[in-house]
Amino acid sequence: MIFCSLYSGSSGNSMFIASDKAKILIDAGLPGKKIDMALQEINQAPNDLNGIFITHEHSDHIKGIGVLSRKYDIPIYANADTWSAMENSIGKIKDHNIKVIDKRSVTEINDMSIKAFNIPHDAAAPMGYTVYSGGKSISVATDFGTFTREIFNNIKDSEVILLESNHDVNMLKFGPYPYPLKRRILSEIGHLSNDDCGTAIVELSKCSLNKKIILGHLSNTNNQPDLAYQTVLNVLNENGIKQKEDIILTMANRHNPSSYIEI
């Protein structure tokens, strides 16, 4: 399997995952042209995509899906509540490309299985995904305020995990956001902090080591890549988990494709 974070951050998100016989995106939260360019940069053809799987309807996850679907005739997969919440934002989609999936469903595309799971976020019906093929698995879990048992159970065995490390709590508390927005981000249905991300990785490491974990969905206002990385690393060190020996920790880039991983 192949994983590549095309873009990851509060300004837009899209992840590419491929098996031998299937290629998908999870989210397309930048203009279609940007997603198109990113795929070509990693030598992937947009018209080879078998589907786009949507986590939730916020604009940084859906901005480009309508354009991509219409241009390349790509199916869009989302649950019914997410479809209802986003349909007015993405333009006309051909009927055969509207794929309504159930929460906690498993979708089969050729040799790939895509399992949805619920995440706690302030959207209509947000989901994360774990993708399976050939005995391997890759998970994408961002945009949640609490690392729940359901998230843990669905990603704990994956070899590659893109996990949210959204904000530094002090930067957020003393930053420019209005108080209601700060409360929303810090809530159980908001976003995961750097410290809480580190704690989540400690829990995941108890299941198996040598995971490749990519920190993603960083806030542009309330975080910095070096700060997120070092904060998570400090939590791991405090718990006796060694970078590059027990866990391989990397960062997803906000503006360009990164983390091209083959497993």
Side-chain angles (χ1 to χ4, degrees):
M1 295 180 75
I2 294 170
F3 172 84
C4 184
S5 169
L6 302 180
Y7 304 99
S8 184
S10 54
S11 49
N13 302 270
S14 188
M15 315 297 155
F16 172 80
I17 300 176
S19 60
D20 287 341
K21 298 179 180 179
K23 296 179 180 182
I24 66 168
L25 293 181
I26 296 179
D27 290 335
L30 289 95
K33 185 176 181 180
K34 292 274 289 183
I35 305 291
D36 199 324
M37 291 170 57
L39 285 167
Q40 293 184 44
E41 188 175 329
I42 63 170
N43 298 314
Q44 299 291 338
N47 56 356
D48 287 342
L49 291 171
N50 300 103
I52 305 173
F53 284 76
I54 306 304
T55 60
H56 63 292
E57 74 277 7
H58 291 167
S59 63
D60 59 325
H61 296 263
I62 67 166
K63 188 176 293 182
I65 63 172
V67 169
L68 290 169
S69 179
R70 287 185 289 273
K71 185 175 181 180
Y72 298 111
D73 198 30
I74 303 170
I76 300 171
Y77 294 81
N79 63 54
D81 291 337
T82 298
W83 268 111
S84 295
M86 73 180 183
E87 59 186 350
N88 291 332
S89 303
I90 64 175
K92 179 66 175 175
I93 303 298
K94 294 177 182 178
D95 288 345
H96 67 269
N97 285 329
I98 298 174
K99 304 293 186 181
V100 182
I101 59 176
D102 293 331
K103 303 168 190 176
R104 302 188 177 99
S105 63
V106 178
T107 303
E108 306 287 347
I109 299 178
N110 299 329
D111 64 342
M112 181 184 286
S113 299
I114 303 97
K115 186 178 188 302
F117 53 90
N118 291 339
I119 58 174
H121 191 51
D122 56 349
M127 303 192 302
Y129 293 100
T130 295
V131 182
Y132 301 88
S133 184
K136 303 291 185 180
S137 57
I138 295 169
S139 293
V140 173
T142 67
D143 294 75
F144 57 90
T146 308
F147 186 61
T148 63
R149 182 56 48 178
E150 178 166 356
I151 297 172
F152 173 80
N153 287 336
N154 277 277
I155 73 174
K156 63 184 176 67
D157 296 321
S158 291
E159 286 86 357
V160 177
I161 303 169
L162 187 134
L163 192 64
E164 173 162 80
S165 189
N166 177 258
H167 61 274
D168 175 80
V169 172
N170 286 328
M171 284 185 70
L172 175 63
K173 285 182 175 179
F174 297 104
Y177 281 7
Y179 179 68
L181 181 54
K182 292 178 181 180
R183 283 191 62 188
R184 175 213 159 214
I185 293 169
L186 290 167
S187 75
E188 293 183 352
I189 55 172
H191 290 278
L192 204 67
S193 71
N194 296 334
D195 288 292
D196 287 343
C197 177
T199 301
I201 296 171
V202 171
E203 290 301 308
L204 291 167
S205 71
K206 295 176 182 177
C207 300
S208 63
L209 297 175
N210 301 315
K211 294 180 182 295
K212 296 178 175 67
I213 297 182
I214 305 109
L215 305 183
H217 205 276
L218 273 68
S219 169
N220 198 34
T221 303
N222 304 305
N223 212 348
Q224 296 174 357
D226 289 347
L227 176 60
Y229 182 85
Q230 192 58 54
T231 301
V232 170
L233 201 60
N234 289 344
V235 175
L236 299 183
N237 289 337
E238 289 167 4
N239 287 272
I241 300 167
K242 297 179 180 178
Q243 159 70 324
K244 298 183 179 179
E245 291 184 25
D246 301 326
I247 293 286
I248 300 173
L249 189 69
T250 60
M251 302 290 302
N253 194 297
R254 175 183 301 277
H255 301 293
N256 300 292
S258 59
S259 306
Y260 194 92
I261 296 171
E262 294 187 43
I263 57 170

